[in-house]
Amino acid sequence: MRYRRIVCASVLVSEALVVLFAGLVALPLTDVPDATVWWVTGLGSLACLLLAGMLRRPWAYVAGSVLQVLIIASGLWVRSMFFVGAVFAALWVSAFVLARRVEAVQEGFRRDRPAGDA
């Protein structure tokens, strides 16, 4: 569980930074009001950071998955978010799946190790 939390938190923190910077890039490229761009990207970044800190709770992984969908949907207001959201949704799923595999392999090593080994 520890590795999954670390990897998924890393994805969320990275996503928070990229979402915020995507908003900065989108400001001159979109005809959406600047305040809307700031709200969409700012709330997305804040949600990513808050969830990264809450990953000790099982429900936070579900919330992180919902957040990925919401960030993709924010592309309706800021077009670049379609791409950014899709990339980070793929990273989120990959981090979740690969971390579970690593933990399963480590658990197998723990079970196979003789009781006397330290």
Side-chain angles (χ1 to χ4, degrees):
M1 196 71 158
R2 177 176 174 241
Y3 290 103
R4 181 173 38 164
R5 187 175 70 232
I6 291 169
V7 175
C8 289
S10 298
V11 169
L12 286 172
V13 169
S14 301
E15 185 173 12
L17 294 172
V18 171
V19 165
L20 191 61
F21 291 136
L24 289 173
V25 170
L27 280 173
L29 301 176
T30 185
D31 38 339
V32 174
D34 289 356
T36 303
V37 174
W38 281 114
W39 276 106
V40 168
T41 58
L43 288 175
S45 293
L46 182 62
C48 287
L49 290 175
L50 290 174
L51 273 177
M54 294 182 198
L55 288 177
R56 291 179 190 255
R57 296 170 180 90
W59 60 264
Y61 293 98
V62 175
S65 299
V66 170
L67 179 64
Q68 301 307 315
V69 173
L70 292 175
I71 288 179
I72 292 171
S74 71
L76 296 171
W77 293 278
V78 180
R79 296 278 182 236
S80 61
M81 295 307 291
F82 281 128
F83 176 73
V84 171
V87 168
F88 276 99
L91 286 172
W92 175 258
V93 170
S94 298
F96 194 82
V97 169
L98 292 175
R100 286 182 69 181
R101 287 184 185 171
V102 167
E103 290 169 352
V105 168
Q106 287 181 339
E107 184 62 32
F109 284 142
R110 284 189 205 112
R111 273 187 267 126
D112 293 342
R113 187 174 53 194
D117 288 349

